[in-house]
Amino acid sequence: MDNQLYIYNTLSRTKQPFKPLHAPFVGMYVCGPTVYGDAHLGHARPAITFDIVFRYLKHLGYKVRYVRNITDVGHLEHDADEGEDKIAKKARLEQLEPMEVAQYYTNRYHEAMDALNVLPPSIEPHATGHIIEQIQLVEEILKNGYAYESQGSVYFDVEKYNRDHHYGILSGRNLNDVINNSRTLDGTDEKRNQVDFALWKKAQPEHIMRWPSPWGMGFPGWHCECTAMGRKYLGEHFDIHGGGMDLEFHHAP
């Protein structure tokens, strides 16, 4: 009987035998939910998929550290750099504190996962608990020349990165096509290019969820949250990063 695990590698577009970086240890990070509403099928799919992977890796005798986050700040409406924070908007509409909303739907998410018989992860970090790490990450990206500050916000310089590397290598998307098909968004005048995305957003005075940073009061962009939390608990390089297909282009250049 072949107990070898084969995993589809999005980068190579092939199914490959799984070989951990530091056997018998395995590090696996999976992007978790943004907790402003009840869990749906889109949340269930990765939870069940990577639960199976988690169980089978343990069955094979590996010592697995499975990290799945809770996004409780920074995810703006329409998944873009405009509008309100999804959790803050829900809090405003229901006249609650944002953390009440986040806690309520985190509890509901856990109940849904229990109903699906999904095992809990080894670590479940919250984005709001890792603001310092996200600020440090943004500072490093700025230092490396792949981000820029604009009016109190910090944006990832997609074209600069693409000149030195291949930005769409994981998703297979062509950057020029994305640029040509991208609609103009509110606040785009702050950006060098409309496809650039926020690593840190300046908070307006009415914005509830805000933290001090080298660039002023603001909040993290959701694209850098998983990177900061993943490397904190799993290191600069780890074995498996899972999530939805919608994350391939922005989250993993």
Side-chain angles (χ1 to χ4, degrees):
M1 179 179 177
D2 183 8
N3 285 330
Q4 177 69 57
L5 174 64
Y6 292 82
I7 291 184
Y8 181 79
N9 185 331
T10 306
L11 183 62
S12 66
R13 306 290 195 275
T14 60
K15 190 182 291 185
Q16 299 176 350
F18 175 71
K19 296 180 181 179
L21 294 170
H22 306 289
F25 302 100
V26 173
M28 181 169 72
Y29 190 99
V30 176
C31 295
T34 302
V35 284
Y36 67 100
D38 280 328
H40 49 67
L41 287 176
H43 296 119
R45 199 281 307 169
I48 293 172
T49 299
F50 291 100
D51 181 68
I52 294 170
V53 175
F54 183 33
R55 291 171 186 263
Y56 192 64
L57 286 169
K58 292 200 299 180
H59 168 73
L60 294 178
Y62 292 114
K63 299 181 184 300
V64 187
R65 178 175 291 170
Y66 173 19
V67 183
R68 187 185 67 212
N69 70 290
I70 296 291
T71 297
D72 53 1
V73 68
H75 199 159
L76 303 185
E77 296 176 280
H78 315 303
D79 298 341
D81 299 326
E82 62 172 336
E84 286 187 86
D85 181 287
K86 293 183 176 183
I87 293 169
K89 180 180 180 180
K90 188 81 169 184
R92 178 176 58 79
L93 294 174
E94 299 192 7
Q95 296 184 314
L96 298 170
E97 283 290 327
M99 285 299 101
E100 285 185 89
V101 172
Q103 187 64 59
Y104 176 78
Y105 286 112
T106 297
N107 294 343
R108 296 272 291 177
Y109 175 75
H110 289 156
E111 291 168 4
M113 295 304 103
D114 289 343
L116 292 171
N117 196 31
V118 168
L119 295 174
S122 312
I123 303 173
E124 189 176 59
H126 290 231
T128 53
H130 298 78
I131 300 297
I132 293 173
E133 289 83 357
Q134 291 170 76
I135 289 174
Q136 291 172 339
L137 174 65
V138 175
E139 288 179 321
E140 289 179 36
I141 298 173
L142 278 166
K143 183 179 179 181
N144 290 334
Y146 295 119
Y148 56 91
E149 182 182 355
S150 177
Q151 301 181 35
S153 296
V154 180
Y155 294 97
F156 189 82
D157 193 333
V158 172
E159 284 197 303
K160 171 72 181 302
Y161 184 89
N162 192 56
R163 286 197 295 269
D164 298 338
H165 308 281
H166 180 184
Y167 183 79
I169 190 170
L170 191 66
S171 66
R173 296 173 67 183
N174 183 290
L175 183 59
N176 289 328
D177 291 340
V178 175
I179 292 173
N180 293 333
N181 293 326
S182 295
R183 62 188 178 91
T184 301
L185 303 172
D186 293 340
T188 315
D189 57 326
E190 297 181 4
K191 303 178 183 182
R192 294 177 182 171
N193 192 291
Q194 58 187 352
V195 298
D196 295 346
F197 55 87
L199 300 173
W200 184 267
K201 280 289 287 181
K202 178 182 179 180
Q204 299 304 316
E206 68 275 10
H207 200 96
I208 301 172
M209 303 177 79
R210 49 197 282 150
W211 290 265
S213 79
W215 316 285
M217 296 298 292
F219 54 93
W222 70 296
H223 298 295
C224 67
E225 293 175 348
C226 287
T227 301
M229 292 184 284
R231 72 176 191 172
K232 178 179 177 67
Y233 296 108
L234 299 175
E236 295 287 343
H237 304 281
F238 50 88
D239 299 288
I240 299 172
H241 190 168
M245 292 177 64
D246 57 317
L247 305 180
E248 289 177 2
F249 187 68
H250 280 312
H251 274 35

